[in-house]
Amino acid sequence: MVLWDDIGTKNSTSFESENLLSMIEGRILNNKANIFTANLNDQELHDALGDRLASRICNLGYNITFNG
């Protein structure tokens, strides 16, 4: 399992984004567990990461909101 902490908070280069996408897609295709944490909602993730990467994170998982 990989914990991707605070995803989307850093402005990344296209090289970094493509590498991150490649790693996440590889893990998804091999049925590996991933946990993503972010202080952003789905739309903010799409704005920060782009549609391809954000769709892997938002559409293939579950949102759990912690308040307080």
Side-chain angles (χ1 to χ4, degrees):
M1 173 180 8
V2 172
L3 172 63
W4 307 90
D5 188 35
D6 254 353
I7 197 155
T9 58
K10 175 188 173 284
N11 289 331
S12 58
T13 65
S14 60
F15 175 78
E16 292 170 324
S17 295
E18 287 300 318
N19 278 333
L20 183 58
L21 177 63
S22 176
M23 286 187 278
I24 291 171
E25 280 186 332
R27 293 187 55 77
I28 290 169
L29 291 173
N30 288 298
N31 295 315
K32 304 267 184 180
N34 297 286
I35 296 175
F36 302 95
T37 68
N39 291 323
L40 307 173
N41 64 34
D42 287 359
Q43 184 57 52
E44 291 168 330
L45 277 173
H46 278 270
D47 294 341
L49 301 174
D51 289 333
R52 285 181 65 207
L53 182 52
S55 71
R56 293 344 181 254
I57 295 168
C58 297
N59 296 337
L60 298 175
Y62 302 97
N63 285 336
I64 301 173
T65 303
F66 295 94
N67 297 311

